[in-house]
Amino acid sequence: MSEIKLYSAVVCPYAHRTRLVLQEKGIDFDLIEIDLQNPPEGFRKVSPYGKVPAITHNNERVWESAIINEYLNEVFPNPPLLPSDPIARAQARIWIDFANTRFVSAFSNLLRSSDIQKQEEAKQELYKHLEFIENEGLGKLSGEGPYWFGESISLVDLTYFPWFERWAALKEYRGFGIPTEFTRLRQWKHALKERESVKAIANSKEFYIQRYAKFAAPTPVAV
């Protein structure tokens, strides 16, 4: 039995983040799949919010993906997944916050909205965020390297990638692909897809298209 138990759900991108961190660090863990529509008795004793991911480690519990991932990076320091330089580490946390407060909500708003006007507004917002990532993130921080901070993968890369693996659902249901002009972003996504940690737990485009059908509310027909 492993020291770490990860409570997860395969469709959840937040849980996907933590699985990627565990894979990158080569940490042994027990995976406990949770049906969030019918969670098991006692689950809230591990995850007070009733959400995934949550972990237990030596009988202690941690929840919320960004916090779990920093915890794992501190307790299992090799390989490091945050820059050693304080300002670079601060920048990494800024980008993780940007994902949590802006990027993810724009993605979700576009996928879930059934109103055409709101979908168009969400597309504009998401485009703006992608442009910001392209220019202010990858354009200024990655240099010649494939990842957010150059040659070394970080928590920032693993924070964003689960939504890009799910992008096929956004394209299928809302007709919004990753714009071709964002070349650094496309290169970054390709580099992540080729990592062994990513491939080890990857799901197909068809998997996400099928699983996300219930989240994509039907678009009203114009009359």
Side-chain angles (χ1 to χ4, degrees):
M1 183 177 294
S2 302
E3 292 181 357
I4 291 180
K5 292 183 174 64
L6 170 64
Y7 296 80
S8 180
V10 68
V11 77
C12 176
Y14 295 96
H16 192 173
R17 290 172 164 178
T18 296
R19 290 185 67 193
L20 288 172
V21 171
L22 290 163
Q23 291 286 337
E24 280 290 333
K25 287 184 172 287
I27 301 169
D28 188 31
F29 65 98
D30 292 330
L31 179 64
I32 301 169
E33 187 75 9
I34 299 296
D35 179 356
L36 293 173
Q37 302 304 313
N38 187 30
E41 185 177 352
F43 176 55
R44 282 187 177 269
K45 292 181 180 179
V46 176
S47 178
Y49 299 166
K51 301 191 300 183
V52 295
I55 67 168
T56 59
H57 182 210
N58 293 331
N59 298 318
E60 298 291 344
R61 58 186 183 161
V62 187
W63 61 95
E64 290 294 303
S65 62
I67 297 169
I68 292 171
N69 293 350
E70 284 219 34
Y71 171 80
L72 292 171
N73 194 54
E74 290 180 7
V75 175
F76 302 94
N78 294 311
L81 292 176
L82 282 174
S84 58
D85 176 68
I87 189 62
R89 197 159 59 248
Q91 290 170 337
R93 290 181 172 127
I94 288 169
W95 282 106
I96 291 169
D97 180 75
F98 183 83
N100 292 339
T101 61
R102 297 171 185 266
F103 171 77
V104 169
S105 62
F107 184 105
S108 180
N109 287 342
L110 177 53
L111 183 66
R112 292 173 181 267
S113 178
S114 61
D115 182 87
I116 294 176
Q117 179 59 36
K118 289 183 178 179
Q119 286 179 21
E120 289 304 312
E121 292 171 0
K123 285 180 182 180
Q124 292 176 23
E125 182 182 15
L126 187 54
Y127 183 95
K128 179 182 68 176
H129 293 338
L130 294 177
E131 186 176 43
F132 191 68
I133 290 169
E134 174 82 4
N135 297 324
E136 289 294 324
L138 298 170
K140 292 186 176 179
L141 298 175
S142 65
E144 298 300 318
Y147 307 118
W148 217 282
F149 285 91
E151 296 295 334
S152 298
I153 197 165
S154 74
L155 291 183
V156 180
D157 302 291
L158 305 180
T159 291
Y160 283 85
F161 183 76
W163 280 267
F164 286 89
E165 186 170 292
R166 289 157 174 76
W167 209 279
L170 207 59
K171 188 173 182 180
E172 173 75 13
Y173 296 115
R174 297 295 179 253
F176 189 84
I178 299 173
T180 57
E181 60 266 32
F182 298 145
T183 56
R184 297 298 295 266
L185 188 59
R186 286 172 162 267
Q187 291 167 4
W188 168 84
K189 180 185 178 184
H190 177 76
L192 265 291
K193 284 178 64 178
E194 294 303 310
R195 288 192 71 85
E196 290 303 316
S197 62
V198 172
K199 292 194 287 187
I201 60 173
N203 289 300
S204 67
K205 293 179 180 180
E206 292 73 23
F207 174 88
Y208 291 116
I209 289 170
Q210 180 182 11
R211 291 298 185 97
Y212 274 70
K214 63 182 178 181
F215 298 109
T219 302
V221 177
V223 294

